[in-house]
Amino acid sequence: MLTTAARAEMAQTAASVTTRMFVAMMQRDPEARRLVTDVLPEVFPWVEFLPREYVQEFVLELVATMRAADSLENPAPVVLVIEGWRHTAEALADPELAALLAAPTDGDFGPVPEPEAR
């Protein structure tokens, strides 16, 4: 897709303003945070596999990352946060894997050996 630099700059400005307004609302209003947490499954259906406290952590991390990424004009960190939480939901959606992750451990198992060269 081809676009002009001016058009790309307008899209970045619009996204930046939207992000800043959203972050400001989230920082100032507990009701906005609750509402975002409640509607998150409509945007990211996979959050249904996350415990409520994880959803709240996801919202806080997402908002903080959106703010920081906007200051760099780089959306990549936001995508990384979303993908990380999506992978967490995938793991928790698998009962066998979720049980393994929730199982208590007997401490640190030490360093992981380097894989063998092929």
Side-chain angles (χ1 to χ4, degrees), residues 17-27 36 62-63 66:
V17 168
T18 302
T19 296
R20 283 186 263 147
M21 287 175 44
F22 176 73
V23 169
M25 286 179 10
M26 291 287 293
Q27 290 175 334
V36 168
L62 182 62
V63 169
M66 288 172 67

Side-chain angles (χ1 to χ4, degrees), residues 24-98:
M25 286 179 10
M26 291 287 293
Q27 290 175 334
R28 286 174 178 74
D29 187 353
E31 181 61 21
R33 287 189 295 276
R34 188 197 62 74
L35 181 60
V36 168
T37 302
D38 287 348
V39 300
L40 211 59
E42 292 179 34
V43 179
F44 304 110
W46 45 260
V47 301
E48 294 291 344
F49 296 108
L50 297 174
R52 180 86 174 163
E53 65 270 14
Y54 282 19
V55 174
Q56 292 169 343
E57 285 180 44
F58 172 45
V59 168
L60 293 175
E61 185 177 357
L62 182 62
V63 169
T65 304
M66 288 172 67
R67 183 174 182 265
D70 179 59
S71 72
L72 299 173
E73 296 182 1
N74 180 356
V78 176
V79 174
L80 291 174
V81 167
I82 293 167
E83 286 300 302
W85 280 102
R86 186 176 67 80
H87 290 310
T88 300
E90 287 175 333
L92 294 174
D94 179 333
E96 187 176 313
L97 184 54

